[in-house]
Amino acid sequence: LEPVIGNVRGVSGGDPRDRILFWDDHRLSIYWLTDNRAQPFDLARTRKQLFYSEEPIQQAFLNAEGTYVFFSTANGIRMVEVDQRGSTNAYEIVREQIDGFAFSAEEQILYWMRGPALYRLKLES
């Protein structure tokens, strides 16, 4: 048993089983389970903050490759790159109030609810 960090609101594993995504009310972070041998290099059992949000983070998911994080707040969905060499790159995907959010990493599809309506967005590379 080894504590990693306190005050965590959620956690999500990735298909690359070398990292775990976790978040508190305002911060997204990655915890490396094994050494990251690709640039930027990261050591096992270290954590890196990826993004700070002014709005409370509700839900977050890694994509299948573990290179992007999709996260929701009450006012939309954003994407943040895990590789932060140079600067943090964040993109707004949905700019409206949402009630719920899900992500299919295998199919690269975002789903979100607003009221009784369910929306779907297929991501293209």
Side-chain angles (χ1 to χ4, degrees):
L1 179 62
E2 177 184 341
V4 175
I5 189 171
N7 296 322
V8 173
R9 185 169 184 184
V11 64
S12 175
D15 253 342
R17 303 205 188 286
D18 60 351
R19 66 197 81 177
I20 291 177
L21 169 70
F22 65 92
W23 62 95
D24 62 21
D25 284 336
H26 296 280
R27 285 175 285 282
L28 292 168
S29 300
I30 290 284
Y31 181 75
W32 293 96
L33 301 171
T34 62
D35 289 344
N36 175 21
R37 300 188 185 278
Q39 287 190 1
F41 306 109
D42 296 283
L43 297 174
R45 297 194 324 252
T46 61
R47 59 185 163 96
K48 176 170 62 173
Q49 180 176 311
L50 301 176
F51 189 76
Y52 179 86
S53 171
E54 295 290 329
E55 302 173 84
I57 297 169
Q58 297 176 333
Q59 186 69 38
F61 300 95
L62 278 167
N63 70 333
E65 295 81 25
T67 53
Y68 296 99
V69 175
F70 296 92
F71 72 96
S72 65
T73 66
N75 293 309
I77 300 171
R78 293 187 192 150
M79 178 182 79
V80 174
E81 293 180 4
V82 172
D83 182 348
Q84 297 184 322
R85 287 178 286 175
S87 67
T88 299
N89 295 313
Y91 309 94
E92 205 162 28
I93 306 293
V94 176
R95 187 183 305 171
E96 65 180 15
Q97 289 188 340
I98 66 169
D99 299 319
F101 163 61
F103 177 65
S104 171
E106 291 176 9
E107 297 174 357
Q108 297 292 307
I109 298 174
L110 292 170
Y111 297 93
W112 69 94
M113 291 175 15
R114 183 170 186 197
L118 178 64
Y119 298 91
R120 172 186 169 185
L121 173 67
K122 171 80 171 145
L123 301 170
E124 301 290 329
S125 304

